[in-house]
Amino acid sequence: MARTRGSRNADYETRRAELTRKVTLALQQDGGVNASLRELAAFAGTSQTTLRHYFTDRDGLLRAVMEGLRADSAPYLAMAAQPVDGDVRSSLSRFLGSVRTAWFKFGVGKMYASTLAVGLGNPRVAPSFVDHVLEPLRQTGEALGRRHVERGELAITDVRHGALALLSPVVLALLHQYSLLGAQCRPLDVPAMLETHVDAFLRAFAPLRPRASR
């Protein structure tokens, strides 16, 4: 039986996800962020017509890449949002350390840098970077901070602001050292920086201790 006009093949979503993964890899190659739709199609082993069928245009393809990254990272971020029992310093250090490890060991840095690059200056793509790449990490920090606030281990009035304060210097340091190759010209001891940053964060958001009675 012929398909109804406008209907999709049974394997539509599977094929779309496969193409999205291939293009995600293409963006991480040298020059990938500036690649045309034709060049991305060649890397994915398909045609521009096929990419337009699944994604409409290059911007739609880039948005799909970011949506895929969010789905792939969700289980790992959920684990990262779980605090270490009884030790807020170890909990925050573990979280930031896992971000650093994922950045250079598991390819997160390349994915982050490439999607940031294609989103900057592109109003049709930038909101997808915020929604699907930047916000999931920040929301993970927010969830972790909220749990420590609920335990009385941190005093943060706005956990969203707290998450930004916790993560912004770390993301900047990782971009500086690994994505922008700052390690070659201005090397930084990132693990030591993370420990210093956690100490400063805890001083800033330590819960007030009740005054001893006289």
Side-chain angles (χ1 to χ4, degrees):
M1 180 181 294
R3 286 191 295 119
T4 303
R5 183 178 177 83
S7 64
R8 294 175 175 176
N9 293 326
D11 65 346
Y12 179 91
E13 293 300 335
T14 301
R15 177 59 173 156
R16 191 175 190 273
E18 177 187 356
L19 291 170
T20 300
R21 285 192 293 271
K22 289 181 177 180
V23 171
T24 301
L25 293 176
L27 293 176
Q28 297 171 41
Q29 307 303 310
D30 289 342
V33 296
N34 297 315
S36 65
L37 188 66
R38 177 184 59 80
E39 292 168 330
L40 293 174
F43 187 94
T46 189
S47 66
Q48 292 185 72
T49 300
T50 297
L51 291 185
R52 291 186 188 281
H53 170 69
Y54 285 99
F55 307 101
T56 304
D57 55 19
R58 185 175 182 273
D59 287 344
L61 176 57
L62 296 176
R63 290 194 296 268
V65 165
M66 296 177 193
E67 291 168 8
L69 292 176
R70 178 168 193 163
D72 291 343
S73 66
Y76 303 102
L77 292 176
M79 289 189 291
Q82 300 303 314
V84 172
D85 288 338
D87 187 344
V88 62
R89 191 185 190 285
S90 295
S91 187
L92 297 180
S93 293
R94 185 196 66 171
F95 171 56
L96 297 182
S98 69
V99 172
R100 172 183 173 268
T101 299
W103 193 276
F104 72 87
K105 190 173 182 180
F106 299 113
V108 170
K110 287 185 177 181
M111 292 185 290
Y112 196 100
S114 63
T115 51
L116 172 61
V118 298
L120 286 173
N122 186 336
R124 296 186 62 203
V125 176
S128 289
F129 175 79
V130 173
D131 287 341
H132 302 300
V133 183
L134 185 60
E135 273 295 294
L137 178 60
R138 189 206 58 76
Q139 290 168 4
T140 301
E142 181 177 332
L144 180 62
R146 181 179 295 108
R147 290 185 171 98
H148 285 297
V149 169
E150 292 169 350
R151 294 179 176 187
E153 297 167 337
L154 290 174
I156 305 175
T157 303
D158 188 321
V159 288
R160 183 181 187 188
H161 294 172
L164 287 170
L166 179 66
L167 283 163
S168 296
V170 177
V171 171
L172 179 61
L174 294 174
L175 284 169
H176 179 286
Q177 286 292 284
Y178 302 123
S179 303
L180 296 172
L181 305 182
Q184 296 180 11
C185 57
R186 291 289 290 172
L188 172 70
D189 187 341
V190 177
M193 174 264 178
L194 296 184
E195 294 303 310
T196 299
H197 177 52
V198 168
D199 288 339
F201 185 85
L202 291 175
R203 287 194 298 271
F205 295 105
L208 295 176
R209 295 180 180 179
R211 294 182 179 179
S213 58
R214 295 180 178 179

